[in-house]
Every structure is written in C-alpha cells, then in structure tokens.
Amino acid sequence: MKSARLPGLRSLRLALGAVRERTGATGAELYVKVGNTRRIEIDPWMATVTADPDDLQTQVSVLDERGWALRAGGASRALFLADSGPLPEPNGWRRLNRHSLRPGILRLPAARSGTAQSPAADTGEHSPDEEEAAGLAFLHDLLRRLGERMPEARLVRGRLDSGASAAVLASTTGVTARSGRRLATVELDFAASRDGRHGHCRLYRAASTLHLLSADTIAREIAERLTLATAPAPPFLPAGEVAVSPALGCNLLALLAPLLRGRDGWRRLRKLGAGHPLGPRQLQIVDDGGLDAGWMSAAFDDEGVPTRAVALVRDGEPGEPLLSWEDDGWSGFSAAGCRRRSGWRALPELCHSHLYIAGAPEPAESIRSGIVHGCYLLDRAHDGRCHATFEPSTNGGAGQLEEGRFEVDAIGLVIRRGTVLGEAPRVRLTGSLRQLLQGIRAIGDDLRFLPAPGAVGAPTLLLTGLQVEAVG
Amino acid sequence: MRSTANRAGPRPLLTSDVAAPADALSRLAAHGDQQFEAFFERLETVELLPQGAPNRLRVRKEQGLGVRKIENGRSRLAAADTISGPAFAACCDRVAGTARSIGTAPPRIRTGSWPALRLAELQRAESRLARAVNRRRVGFPMEITARRHRRQVQVIRSPIAAPPQFEEYFSLQVTTPWGVWGGLLPSLADEDLDPVALCLVDRLRSRGLPLHRRAPGVIVLGPNAAAVLLHEVVAHALEADTLGLSGVPDHVVGLKLGGPELDVVDDPRSAPLACKRSSDDEGTAVISRWLLRRGRVRQPLADLAWAERCPSMIPGAARRASRHRLPGPRTTHLELLPGTIPERDLFAEAVGGLYIGEFDRGNLDPLDGRCVLRAPCGRRIGASGPVDHTGPIEIRSRAVDLLAAVTAVADRPLAGGAGWCAKDGALMPVWARCPSIRLEGLQVAD
C-alpha cells in the first residue's frame, strides 16, 4: 500500500473558505498530517536468541496514520475539530454551521516573510521490507551482544519504532508551512539478578534513522547499568564532587524545563539567580527548533512560525526567554517558533524541541579522571525518584518552582583520583535548583541528546555542593 | 437527578454486510495455523475546557481498522486511519505479504453516521459539581474540564463477526489551588458527581499537611481505594503477560494469595450501564471470571494468544488501546464480592488506625511483585469513624503481603475506583465495584 499523500495548499485554502462560509468564523487554520510507522515488539517470555534473526519471536505492526485538525473562530467563539482520514472535500463540511462555534477564543499567528518558502516534506516510505529486515537484524544483534556481555540479563520489554511523518498547515491569516520528519526509537527494559540482588534498567534511545542507532553501544550501556544496579551498596559515599554522565545530565536538564520556557519560566529563572550569575561563564543553555541533524529539526513550528536558536542561559546569565508568537515583544524579547503538536489530535503547545547544555572544550574523560574523591553517576535508577519538588505555598498548594529542590535516584561509581573504588547501585542526588546550576564546575565536550519528550541534550558535568546519599 | 446520556447508543459502526469482510478474511488463510482478524474502531472525545480557555470546545473523532494475522505465536498487524473497502484490502495485502490477497475487488464497507454531539450535559457538569461541593458547606475555586468518550468496536474473526460493542463514559479533571483531581465517571448525573465532591472536600481539608510517616497498625480502605489496590495486586498480577515474565502463567492456578474473604471477579458484562461489554477486543465472548475464589487463584486474565500457549486458560479478556496497538489480556470491570461485616463494625475494630478514601496512583513491578500505592490524603479513625485529616500517604509493599493483610471485607459494595489503566503506555478505562476493606500489619513508607 502506498503511503497517504498530503493535500496541496490549494485544497487547504478551498477547505478554509468553505469552513468560514459555513460557520461565519473570522479566522481558521487547517493542519493535516500523514505518517507511517513500523513497530517491532519482542516477546520477552520467548526471547531466546539463536544465530538466525528470523527465529526472534516478534510482533510486527505496520501502521498508517492520517488525520487533520481544524481551528476556527474569532474573538468570542471558537471550535477545535480533529478527525482521522483524508481532509474532506470543500463540500464535505456540511455538518458545520454557525452554531458549531462555541464560546471561546481563537488566536492565530500572522504570516511573516519566509513562511511561504517552507521546505518540501519528505514523506516517502523507504523500502519497507528492507526497513523491517534491518529492524529485526538490529534487535537480534543487540540481544546477541548483550547475551555475550551479560548472560543473566533478561528482557522485560523491547520495542523498536521507525517511521516518517509529514504535515502541511494553512490558515486564513496567510500562514502556510510544510514539514517532514523521520525518526527511529528503541525502548528496552531489562532485569538481572546477581548474588541474590535484583536490578532493572530502562533505556530509551532515538535517532533520525535506524542506521544511526548502534546495537553494540546500546548493549554495552545496558550491561553497564545492570552491573551497577545489581552491585552491593558501598560502605561509604564521598560527599565531594559528583560527575554526571550525559544521560543523567539530560534528566537533570529536563527537570529544569519549566524554568526555561514562557514568561513565567523567565520570571522564575531571573529570581533563581537572585542577582548572581546562574552558573559558570561556560554555561550555555539553548533551545533550537532548527538544530542541524536534530530529530525534531524543522524550519517552522506547528503553527507555521519560523524556528531559531534561543540562548536561554548565555555565559552563565539569563539570556532570553522562549516565547511563542503570542508573547512577541514582551519585555523587548522576540518570539521563536516553539509551539508543537504531539499529533494531529492535539492543539499546539509551548514546548522545547532541542533543549541542551552546549558542550565546552574540556574533554569528558579528563572530568571523570579528575575526580579527587567523589562519584560518577551514570544514569537515573530504573524505578527511583526523578523530580523537582515545590515549596508549599501559603494556602497549602503546590506552590511555584522557584526556590524548588530536586531529587534524583541514580546509579554510579565511587571514584578516588581516577580509580574506581566501588559501585553505587542507588544513590540519591538532592539539592536546590540554584545549587544545581551554580554548582557546575566543569562542562565536557561529549554533548548527547536523549528523547525526553522532545530532545534534551547534555554533556558530562562536574557538580559540587549537592547532597549524595545511599538509598535502598 | 437522572443522567441525560443517550443509552440507546448510535447506529452500528458498520452498516454494510459484515459477511463480505468475513468472507474476504477466510480467503486469506493459507493453512490451518493461520488466523486472521479485522478490528474496526470509531472513537469520539468531546472536551469542554474551563471558561476563558482558548478553543474551549474540542471535538476529536477518529475511525480506522486493523487487520491482524496470527501464526505460531507471532502476529502481524496492519492498521489504517480510515474505514473503507480499499483500506481493508490494503491492510490484508500487508499482513498476507502479497498483492490482491483477497481478490481484485475490495469488499464494500460502509459506516453508520456519527451520533449527535450533545453538549448540554458537559456544560452542566461544572454547576452540578459546584452544587455538590457547596452541599458540604464549603466552596473553593475549581477549573473543570469535562470530557465525554465514546467508542464503537466491531471485530470480525473469520468466519465469525462478534456483536458490535459501544461504550460511553465521562472523565473529569478538576484543578483546585491545592492540586488536580482526575477520574472516570459512568455519567455526569448527581449520584456520580457526589463522590467526586467528597474527594475534593477531603483534599481541601488535608491541604498543606505533611506526608504521613507513622505506620498505623490498621488501615481501612474505602471502596475507591480498595478498587485501586485490587486492580494492581490482583488484576495486573493475574494478567497472563505479567505472569509470563516470571514463569508459566497457568502454574499459578490454585495458589493461595489471600484469606477466604477474598472473592474477586472480572466481569465486563456487569460494568456500568453504558460500558458493558459482551465480547472483548478480539471478538471473544466475555465471561464472569473468578480471579480469586476464597483467596486462591482460579482463572488468570487471558487473550487468544495466551489461551493458545496455555490450554487451561480461557480467552475473553483481550483489550486494545487502539487499532494501532496489539491486544493484550487486561481487566475491564473488577468486583470484590461483599463480606458479612457491616461497615460500622469495620471501623469499630480499627480505632487508632487510618482511613484511606482514594489512591491517586498505583504501580506494580511485574518482576518482583512490589507495589506502590499513593493516597493524596487520609483520615485518622476515631471511635465514631474517620475523623482528623492527614497528609499524603504512600504504601510500599509486596503484592502478596498486601493481600495477606486483608482481614475483613465490608458488606456494602459500591461502584468506584474507575480510572485509566496505563500499563505499557496504553490508556484504557477500567471499572470496579468494591466494599470497604480492612488491612492489618502493613508498612507505610515515605
């Protein structure tokens, strides 16, 4: 079956005209998305790996997705309507009428120069049988390599998704945009038992194409994590320096995300510094919707607003806030395309696309080997805590994030002068968000992105001033 | 006040003759080991956000189909976001691996019209809930998002077409200055909104209180909380795919998990009125399934694939989150049969203990059987029943220890504890009917 094709802009404009005519809406926007996904799930209760990839017990799903969303209305009445299948013909909007709009508000971005020059989307399905065979070979290779490294590792859940999607957007304000994206994700849960100690490990990795995912690297990461998770607890944990891997750094940055978007986030971020720098001069935190080679990279966001790199923290100081077009010009800052839809059923929402701590020139290896007496934390613990807590407000509510604290359960190693003294199957890293940023002492050169949702990236970080304690 | 929900249901999902796709599916099987199944689905969610929200009314509709081939324990699914003869034929080609697998002419497949939108009951939800709260002599700001969910399903497993299924239910999300409450309701009538108001008032009175750290000797769980506990430690624990992770699923039959007062049944036919099911998402007739009979495992939850692997298992508990997901064994409507102890006596023997009316979160580790349940608040039990409010409570325990701690079951079951089950990231509505229960000797951890 050929993949569904996107309608042309002319079809969208005709549909918009029909919607306006029938509903009396002053403005309207249509968003159409098509996609295809090939999903391979491994049966955990049967996964005995043989030499032949065809012996792998898997469930394969080939999914075609197609849907559209309409926003119509004006200053006092509005409607959001989403449906699967192809976009109706201009005479297919008969069910809509003036009563379809209900009290509410619709605001749409105005056209800007450049939106009409959107890049063409790449929607094609590339040799699906080859892609499926490549997916099966990848999973088989991964299980085989992990079996060699750690025979006691046991699959709990394994899923590989690869696919492509394309979208087209048009509104009555003149905004038009097209986008296309390819993505492959692998989600793996493993468990192991050693000497009566049980450990879990969960990995979620993504890349633009399956060929960019390395089975050997992922197998090594799983074996490392399971080894640490099933190790005996150390008798003593040093409380000095803590180096965190890019994987854990991504989790820490994801906790900070509410500080790094919108007007409220900006106010909190400014307050967090309290007149002092937020972090060291080499600290740069960026959100870039158009990042080269990023999974989410697009010239426009899902409302057709151009994306750009926004330096949220520049040289350790608050840079500029991530603002949507509705807040353009607030406090003298410019907006960026940052409103995204999680699918055709969803309305666009302010969110990050590629949020990352930019890498610095210092080699990551020298950060790890330079730990005098501390911990190198590799990843968050499978079923442990990972959240930022909020100060209670006067009325007992959840309160706000500024002045908040965070806690993350992690697995790692105890290190003294570059030598591994022991393993730490679960430690709890806690502190205030201010300490987290101001305590950054070194930033490595090994920037890496993980799916969070969106993409969150971090290099190896050396942190001080945080509390580390053994748990469990 | 009676619900205004239309219990008659809409026109059938497929208005064309289901024999045509059934006949096409029967032509696909190359040999006896192959089974083919078509799943047709239509979903509608109407969402009304609080006043002042942009795009306050949100209507989401979707329909589509999936064709699945099952052969030697492996399945292959092809799904499309439209219902039509050509889409059905294309999906058949994909699972069969050949072009024109069902012949040159695709079968004629037509769908019925969508049911009417009916917004009035969603619009009235806010004022009704506010009245229910005010009846308890309190008032506070609330932002209410009300949703109505409808789902129509038709399964054709060559050569049989199961009866079409229709479900309609509601979900509410109430945002207050001290947190968010969310849950499922069979209707937005006063009798279903009243328990929501009770939960909201309990949360108001326990706002700002610290985490409850003291381990009480006795805990009484109200019907809602008991339903969540049983969902985690009985239903999830006895799903064949969960059991398959740690052994052979049918080996648990006969295992003693709790005391003789525990009789737990999964019966989709006795779910709330508009959510009753006569067949599951594989087209198999559902049964009243004894999960626990006098505390012993009787019949785990199984779908066709697990029933094929373990011959002693009975299929009929397959559910799928959407046409894009494969089915798996899941609970639909859990019932704890009532005991003989009046609720008053349940509390009388629990003075000094803790009453938990609801859990807002639950999780079961499928490998080691550890369970975590979180309650947003609780109440100390005095001589007259639940009295002072406490802060949040977290219970961490092994599933078997939780069941072994149940020492009494009250005599009055109530519908409650409905919610979204999110196992493996697939959201499904689940329903329950339970009496209050008493637990003794549990650990309450931070």
Side-chain angles (χ1 to χ4, degrees):
Chain A
M1 181 161 71
K2 293 290 285 180
S3 286
R5 286 196 165 275
L6 282 174
L9 287 172
R10 184 169 175 275
S11 302
L12 266 69
R13 290 193 184 108
L14 285 171
L16 286 171
V19 167
R20 286 182 70 179
E21 191 182 316
R22 293 202 61 81
T23 61
T26 53
E29 176 205 72
L30 267 168
Y31 175 83
V32 186
K33 190 170 185 182
V34 297
N36 58 74
T37 304
R38 194 162 290 262
R39 175 173 299 154
I40 304 172
E41 292 164 271
I42 317 171
D43 283 351
W45 39 85
M46 294 183 177
T48 44
V49 183
T50 67
D52 185 358
D54 288 340
D55 289 343
L56 202 63
Q57 281 283 7
T58 55
Q59 318 289 334
V60 178
S61 303
V62 187
L63 314 169
D64 271 323
E65 292 161 82
R66 188 178 196 186
W68 53 268
L70 165 74
R71 288 196 288 168
S76 60
R77 298 178 79 76
L79 168 73
F80 173 78
L81 175 63
D83 202 346
S84 60
L87 188 69
E89 297 294 322
N91 63 0
W93 300 93
R94 286 188 301 271
R95 283 195 156 208
L96 292 183
N97 55 41
R98 285 172 193 277
H99 302 292
S100 302
L101 302 185
R102 301 285 171 153
I105 311 154
L106 174 71
R107 286 191 288 265
L108 295 172
R112 301 177 183 208
S113 60
T115 48
Q117 305 297 321
S118 305
D122 171 21
T123 67
E125 190 181 356
H126 302 295
S127 52
D129 292 336
E130 284 175 24
E131 204 163 298
E132 185 176 324
L136 285 169
F138 169 83
L139 289 171
H140 179 265
D141 193 26
L142 192 153
L143 291 176
R144 186 181 55 77
R145 286 173 190 268
L146 182 61
E148 286 167 6
R149 286 175 185 272
M150 194 174 194
E152 63 270 36
R154 165 117 198 270
L155 178 73
V156 179
R157 184 162 173 246
R159 193 165 99 177
L160 175 72
D161 280 352
S162 62
S165 68
V168 60
L169 168 89
S171 78
T172 52
T173 59
V175 173
T176 58
R178 281 178 180 273
S179 61
R181 189 169 296 154
R182 293 190 65 78
L183 189 65
T185 61
V186 63
E187 214 174 335
L188 298 158
D189 277 11
F190 277 89
S193 293
R194 288 195 308 159
D195 303 327
R197 292 181 296 273
H198 305 286
H200 291 209
C201 148
R202 179 173 292 167
L203 235 68
Y204 184 34
R205 298 288 181 259
S208 301
T209 67
L210 178 60
H211 305 294
L212 295 175
L213 290 171
S214 162
D216 189 49
T217 305
I218 293 174
R220 180 173 47 77
E221 287 184 297
I222 293 167
E224 279 173 356
R225 282 153 178 75
L226 285 176
T227 304
L228 290 177
T230 52
F236 166 73
L237 268 181
E241 301 159 305
V242 178
V244 298
S245 72
L248 188 58
C250 289
N251 282 291
L252 292 171
L253 181 59
L255 287 181
L256 295 174
L259 289 171
L260 300 170
R261 58 177 176 242
R263 291 157 53 158
D264 290 345
W266 178 251
R267 290 192 193 103
R268 294 167 181 168
L269 193 70
R270 298 275 304 207
K271 200 173 170 186
L272 194 68
H276 300 284
L278 282 171
R281 279 195 61 79
Q282 67 266 37
L283 178 65
Q284 322 284 338
I285 303 180
V286 181
D287 186 82
D288 187 356
L291 185 73
D292 283 345
W295 320 314
M296 315 280 294
S297 188
F300 305 99
D301 72 356
D302 290 335
E303 286 188 312
V305 179
T307 56
R308 65 182 176 88
V310 178
L312 303 161
V313 175
R314 187 186 294 125
D315 302 331
E317 301 277 0
E320 59 174 320
L322 184 66
L323 297 176
S324 74
W325 60 270
E326 285 184 287
D327 292 326
D328 191 24
W330 178 76
S331 292
F333 294 111
S334 300
C338 58
R339 301 237 298 189
R340 299 191 175 272
R341 303 177 195 239
S342 58
W344 56 264
R345 300 168 186 85
L347 279 155
E349 287 182 0
L350 176 67
C351 57
H352 297 287
S353 44
H354 303 97
L355 173 68
Y356 63 97
I357 297 173
E362 184 160 359
E365 187 50 46
S366 76
I367 293 177
R368 288 190 290 267
S369 59
I371 297 173
V372 177
H373 196 189
C375 295
Y376 174 58
L377 301 182
L378 196 65
D379 205 346
R380 58 173 290 202
H382 165 75
D383 54 353
R385 296 184 181 182
C386 184
H387 57 238
T389 56
F390 302 85
E391 292 295 319
S393 61
T394 50
N395 67 355
Q400 302 297 310
L401 186 63
E402 67 259 56
E403 306 302 326
R405 294 180 65 81
F406 77 96
E407 53 183 8
V408 175
D409 289 353
I411 53 173
L413 299 163
V414 180
I415 292 180
R416 184 167 194 170
R417 298 191 192 286
T419 306
V420 176
L421 290 185
E423 292 139 329
R426 179 173 292 199
V427 298
R428 185 163 293 164
L429 185 65
T430 57
S432 74
L433 298 175
R434 182 182 287 143
Q435 281 174 322
L436 176 62
L437 288 170
Q438 292 180 344
I440 295 175
R441 289 288 168 268
I443 299 173
D445 61 352
D446 54 347
L447 171 64
R448 185 177 179 196
F449 283 91
L450 294 181
V456 176
T460 297
L461 302 170
L462 182 64
L463 308 172
T464 55
L466 301 173
Q467 291 79 53
V468 185
E469 58 175 335
V471 288
Chain B
M1 189 181 289
R2 290 180 64 81
S3 166
T4 54
N6 176 9
R7 301 304 185 202
R11 294 182 67 191
L13 172 55
L14 299 184
T15 53
S16 53
D17 187 1
V18 293
D23 182 48
L25 287 176
S26 64
R27 288 200 295 273
L28 279 174
H31 49 82
D33 289 344
Q34 290 184 343
Q35 283 189 61
F36 288 87
E37 162 203 286
F39 175 82
F40 298 87
E41 175 189 54
R42 174 181 271 183
L43 305 169
E44 183 199 79
T45 306
V46 181
E47 183 178 23
L48 192 65
L49 276 80
Q51 286 183 359
N55 291 101
R56 189 178 170 219
L57 173 64
R58 300 173 184 185
V59 182
R60 296 178 176 91
K61 298 177 174 183
E62 57 183 288
Q63 59 182 18
L65 63 93
V67 176
R68 184 166 66 123
K69 178 176 80 170
I70 311 159
E71 185 178 12
N72 300 328
R74 294 189 191 192
S75 68
R76 189 173 182 82
L77 168 75
D81 276 358
T82 181
I83 296 181
S84 68
F88 174 75
C91 287
C92 288
D93 289 353
R94 281 194 157 176
V95 295
T98 58
R100 295 177 182 169
S101 57
I102 56 169
T104 51
R108 185 180 143 144
I109 298 176
R110 293 198 163 213
T111 54
S113 55
W114 287 93
L117 205 56
R118 289 200 345 262
L119 280 173
E121 56 195 332
L122 292 176
Q123 288 168 329
R124 283 197 293 265
E126 185 168 352
S127 58
R128 283 184 174 181
L129 184 60
R131 276 203 302 272
V133 168
N134 294 342
R135 277 197 293 273
R136 290 177 165 75
R137 299 175 189 277
V138 290
F140 44 83
M142 292 187 288
E143 288 191 343
I144 297 170
T145 298
R147 299 183 188 91
R148 187 185 58 234
H149 308 263
R150 286 167 168 163
R151 181 173 185 249
Q152 279 179 282
V153 167
Q154 171 78 66
V155 181
I156 300 171
R157 203 168 71 236
S158 169
I160 303 159
Q165 304 293 310
F166 173 66
E167 295 163 75
E168 180 179 273
Y169 53 93
F170 297 82
S171 62
L172 274 188
Q173 182 177 303
V174 186
T175 305
T176 62
W178 41 89
V180 179
W181 181 93
L184 295 188
L185 304 171
S187 81
L188 294 178
D190 286 347
E191 65 262 28
D192 288 316
L193 288 174
D194 209 48
V196 179
L198 183 63
C199 291
L200 292 171
V201 172
D202 275 346
R203 289 186 182 203
L204 163 77
R205 291 183 172 142
S206 63
R207 70 193 188 284
L209 294 176
L211 192 77
H212 185 88
R213 292 177 185 278
R214 192 173 60 87
V218 188
I219 297 176
V220 173
L221 301 183
N224 284 337
V228 175
L229 180 140
L230 293 174
H231 176 83
E232 296 299 335
V233 303
V234 176
H236 275 320
L238 294 182
E239 286 162 353
D241 55 348
T242 305
L243 292 168
L245 289 172
S246 52
V248 181
D250 46 6
H251 284 184
V252 300
V253 175
L255 198 69
K256 190 171 187 305
L257 290 184
E261 52 282 303
L262 282 177
D263 285 320
V264 184
V265 177
D266 181 67
D267 189 358
R269 296 175 305 180
S270 58
L273 191 60
C275 307
K276 289 182 193 297
R277 299 287 303 262
S278 62
S279 63
D280 70 357
D281 287 341
E282 290 180 322
T284 310
V286 299
I287 55 169
S288 180
R289 187 183 300 261
W290 286 95
L291 298 175
L292 294 184
R293 182 86 167 112
R294 298 186 63 75
R296 288 187 186 275
V297 177
R298 176 67 76 86
Q299 186 56 247
L301 292 155
D303 57 1
L304 281 172
W306 281 102
E308 195 176 296
R309 289 177 195 133
C310 308
S312 67
M313 289 198 171
I314 302 170
R319 296 187 71 186
R320 51 206 296 176
S322 82
R323 59 200 172 276
H324 299 300
R325 301 290 296 256
L326 290 161
R330 299 284 181 276
T331 175
T332 300
H333 178 245
L334 205 62
E335 289 182 78
L336 172 63
L337 301 194
T340 53
I341 302 174
E343 196 152 293
R344 200 177 48 246
D345 295 353
L346 204 70
F347 285 109
E349 292 172 30
V351 175
L354 200 64
Y355 172 74
I356 296 175
E358 58 163 341
F359 288 118
D360 60 356
R361 217 174 299 158
N363 181 52
L364 174 77
D365 188 315
L367 285 180
D368 59 16
R370 279 183 304 176
C371 182
V372 182
L373 297 161
R374 187 188 177 279
C377 56
R379 295 178 75 174
R380 267 181 279 277
I381 299 172
S384 57
V387 284
D388 308 334
H389 285 79
T390 71
I393 302 144
E394 199 167 86
I395 294 178
R396 290 171 180 267
S397 180
R398 293 193 311 152
V400 286
D401 294 339
L402 277 165
L403 286 175
V406 178
T407 54
V409 177
D411 62 350
R412 195 167 61 98
L414 290 175
W420 295 108
C421 170
K423 184 178 172 184
D424 291 342
L427 279 185
M428 292 180 200
V430 288
W431 307 95
R433 186 173 177 82
C434 290
S436 298
I437 58 175
R438 192 174 64 219
L439 294 88
E440 294 178 42
L442 268 183
Q443 290 296 309
V444 176
D446 66 1

